[in-house]
Amino acid sequence: MRKFTKKIMASLLSLTLVVGMTSSVFAAHAANGANVASGIKWSSFSVCTMEDHVDSEDGSKAHPWCWYHSLTHLVTDKYPNGQVEGTDFATEGWVVAGANASNFEFFVMNSGWDGEYNPMTGELAGDNPYGLRVLSTGFPVEKGRTYDISFKIKSTLKGTFTEKDEAGNVKKDEEGNEIKKTVTKKHILFKAYNPTAPGEPGVAFTSASGCTIGGMIETDSAEGEKTVTAKILVPKTYDGTVVALNFACGAFLKTYPDEINMKGRLYFSDVQVKAGAQYAVKYTYGSKSYTEYVNSGDKTSGHNFGIKGKTLTGYKNASTGARFDLSTPVRSNLTLNCIYTATKKPGKAKVTIKAQKKKAKLTFKKLANVKGYEIKYSDKKNMKKAKTKRTSKKSITIKKLKAGKKTYFQIRAYNIDSAGQRVYSKKVVKKNAFIK
C-alpha cells in the first residue's frame, strides 16, 4: 500500500512546480457564472508520506515547510534522538484513485498527533492541520473579480478519545476501565491561496456559509452531507493568474485535542468555482477603444486615451446620449464615449520677484487654467546658458545666484493636457532683479 500511495501523491514542492507552469498562461475573461475550476486536479500531502526530504538535511533550515524534517530533527531532552515516525508522530492520507475535478474521496489513515513543537524544549506549541492536506491545481482568475466557491462534503471519520481529568489523569469507571468516547467531529481548515507564492497570505473569504469566515469547517460523521460556500475577491494587486484550494485535515492538538488518531474518508462532491457577474464597459474616442470589466454593482474607474492638446471632460452613454457619472453603479454592459475639449491655455503669468542674498523669491498670483510655471533665468541679458526650473507651487526660491549682478528671468504659465504634456501661455513675462 505504501508504494501505491507514494505513486499517487505529489509532494508540496512538485505541486508548486506544476501549478507554477500553469500560472504562466494568461487568464482569459470568463463568462458570468462559468465554472473556472472544471479542469483542476487533486493531490495530497501528509507528514508520513513525504518523498522529497533528505535525511542528512536539517529541516528547520533547508526545508522549513517540511514537517517530517522538523519532527525527526527535534532534538531535546524529551526527544534526544528526535521524534520517531509511528511513535511520536503519525499523519497519513491520500486522494483515492478515480478523482475528477468536481468529485473526489480522501482516505484518512490517521488524522495525526504531530503538532508544532518548541525546538528548544520539545513542548507542544501549536496545531499542525497542514500535516495532512488536499490541494487542487490552480484555476485561472482575473484580478479584481469575485468568485463563488461551492462544494458538498461528507465525513466518515471516527476515532476514540480517552477522557482525562483536569490534572491530566485518565478517567476510569467503577470497574477500573478507562473511560473512552467515540469522536465523530473533525475540523478542517479550508483556504484559497496563491500556489505560485505559497508563503504569501491566502485569498480571504469575503463571505462564507457552512464554514467560518476564516475557513473552518466542522464535519461530523454522525450527520449527513453539508454544503459549503465561500466568496473570494481576487485583489487587483494579486501576484499571479491562478488560485488553488487547500483543505488542511491534520492535527489540532491544542485547539481540538480529541480529534487525533481519526480514520475514515472525506467525500467531496460538486466542487465548483464560478466567476462572479461582471459587465463590460467599453470606452471609445474616434478609432480608439478600451474595455474594462467591472463587478456587478461596482463603479467603473474611467479611462483616458491621452489626447495631445485636449482635456478629458467627461463621458457620454453611447446608447442614450446622456452624460455618464462615474459614481453610477454598473449593472449592464455599457459603451461610453469619451468627451475631450481643447486644453485651455493660461494667460500671462503674474509674478513678483524679491531679490535676496544670492537668491530670489518668485511669488505667483492666482491665474485660471494653470498647473504650473516654467522659469528660465540667466545672468546674461541674451539668456545665454539659461537654466530652467518648473514649479506647481505658489512660490519658488531660486538659489546660488551671482551677488552684485542682475539676473534675468523669463516666466510662462502652463496647463497640462490629457496626454500629460504642457500647454504654455502665449505670452512670456520678462523681468530682472539685482541680486544682493
Side-chain angles (χ1 to χ4, degrees):
M1 178 62 73
R2 179 59 61 84
K3 290 183 178 179
F4 173 72
T5 59
K6 285 190 175 182
K7 286 182 180 179
I8 65 172
M9 291 189 185
S11 67
L12 182 62
L13 181 60
S14 298
L15 176 67
T16 303
L17 291 174
V18 171
V19 176
M21 289 186 288
T22 304
S23 68
S24 65
V25 179
F26 177 75
H29 181 68
N32 293 345
N35 178 19
V36 297
S38 59
I40 60 174
K41 296 181 180 180
W42 298 96
S43 187
S44 57
F45 167 88
S46 59
V47 169
C48 292
T49 50
M50 290 194 62
E51 296 177 343
D52 56 352
H53 62 82
V54 179
D55 291 339
S56 61
E57 292 179 341
D58 182 351
S60 63
K61 296 178 181 179
H63 291 292
W65 51 266
C66 174
W67 288 102
Y68 192 97
H69 268 100
S70 298
L71 297 171
T72 56
H73 289 72
L74 186 71
V75 179
T76 64
D77 291 339
K78 187 175 181 181
Y79 303 108
N81 299 311
Q83 288 196 0
V84 179
E85 178 184 346
T87 300
D88 302 308
F89 68 92
T91 299
E92 194 164 6
W94 55 84
V95 175
V96 177
N100 58 42
S102 59
N103 302 280
F104 66 94
E105 297 176 25
F106 186 56
F107 179 75
V108 178
M109 181 178 287
N110 192 308
S111 61
W113 57 85
D114 49 284
E116 290 187 6
Y117 291 86
N118 185 319
M120 303 299 294
T121 65
E123 297 300 318
L124 179 67
D127 297 321
N128 178 19
Y130 296 103
L132 179 64
R133 54 194 139 159
V134 186
L135 309 104
S136 78
T137 51
F139 49 84
V141 294
E142 300 161 63
K143 296 176 183 181
R145 192 169 191 175
T146 61
Y147 293 86
D148 295 302
I149 306 168
S150 64
F151 57 88
K152 296 175 183 177
I153 184 171
K154 181 180 179 181
S155 171
T156 64
L157 269 61
K158 289 184 180 181
T160 56
F161 179 73
T162 303
E163 295 192 24
K164 297 180 181 180
D165 59 23
E166 294 182 357
N169 300 314
V170 175
K171 291 183 179 180
K172 296 183 179 181
D173 59 21
E174 295 178 354
E175 298 177 357
N177 299 316
E178 293 182 354
I179 300 176
K180 296 184 177 182
K181 68 176 182 179
T182 300
V183 180
T184 60
K185 289 184 178 181
K186 179 71 180 78
H187 286 80
I188 297 169
L189 192 55
F190 165 45
K191 296 288 184 182
Y193 73 105
N194 186 344
T196 60
E200 297 297 320
V203 183
F205 298 148
T206 58
S207 64
S209 175
C211 67
T212 67
I213 196 68
M216 188 67 79
I217 305 170
E218 182 182 284
T219 64
D220 193 336
S221 58
E223 298 177 356
E225 186 177 68
K226 70 183 302 182
T227 299
V228 177
T229 61
K231 184 185 291 292
I232 61 172
L233 172 62
V234 179
K236 290 185 178 180
T237 55
Y238 188 70
D239 183 17
T241 58
V242 297
V243 167
L245 304 180
N246 180 4
F247 297 94
C249 312
F252 289 93
L253 292 185
K254 296 283 285 187
T255 311
Y256 305 108
D258 58 342
E259 295 183 5
I260 61 175
N261 198 26
M262 297 182 73
K263 300 177 182 179
R265 298 195 182 209
L266 291 169
Y267 297 87
F268 293 82
S269 61
D270 199 20
V271 180
Q272 297 187 65
V273 182
K274 292 186 177 181
Q278 283 191 330
Y279 296 104
V281 180
K282 183 179 180 181
Y283 295 90
T284 67
Y285 181 75
S287 62
K288 301 178 183 292
S289 68
Y290 170 81
T291 299
E292 176 188 18
Y293 291 98
V294 181
N295 293 330
S296 178
D298 286 355
K299 302 174 182 63
T300 184
S301 56
H303 184 74
N304 176 19
F305 289 105
I307 307 301
K308 185 178 179 180
K310 293 183 178 294
T311 298
L312 178 66
T313 58
Y315 306 91
K316 185 179 291 186
N317 188 316
S319 298
T320 64
R323 282 264 185 169
F324 183 85
D325 190 331
L326 292 182
S327 65
T328 306
V330 175
R331 303 192 187 281
S332 63
N333 294 331
L334 292 171
T335 297
L336 300 178
N337 297 329
C338 297
I339 303 171
Y340 288 90
T341 57
T343 301
K344 293 182 179 179
K345 292 183 178 181
K348 185 178 180 180
K350 298 178 181 179
V351 57
T352 57
I353 300 176
K354 183 178 181 181
Q356 299 173 347
K357 188 176 182 180
K358 293 186 177 181
K359 57 185 178 181
K361 183 178 181 181
L362 284 69
T363 304
F364 307 99
K365 291 185 178 181
K366 189 175 181 180
L367 194 66
N369 306 314
V370 172
K371 296 295 183 182
Y373 298 88
E374 182 180 271
I375 304 104
K376 288 186 177 182
Y377 61 99
S378 174
D379 58 359
K380 302 182 185 305
K381 191 172 183 180
N382 62 3
M383 300 302 289
K384 190 175 182 179
K385 295 183 179 180
K387 295 180 180 179
T388 302
K389 286 187 179 293
R390 296 186 183 91
T391 183
S392 59
K393 296 181 180 180
K394 294 180 180 179
S395 65
I396 184 173
T397 298
I398 298 177
K399 302 177 182 179
K400 297 182 179 180
L401 301 178
K402 290 184 179 181
K405 292 189 70 175
K406 280 185 179 181
T407 295
Y408 298 88
F409 297 89
Q410 292 182 0
I411 305 123
R412 55 179 178 170
Y414 63 82
N415 201 351
I416 301 291
D417 66 17
S418 64
Q421 296 189 7
R422 291 182 289 275
V423 177
Y424 291 97
S425 58
K426 290 182 178 180
K427 294 184 179 180
V428 179
V429 175
K430 295 181 180 180
K431 288 193 174 186
N432 62 74
F434 186 83
I435 306 303
K436 297 177 183 180

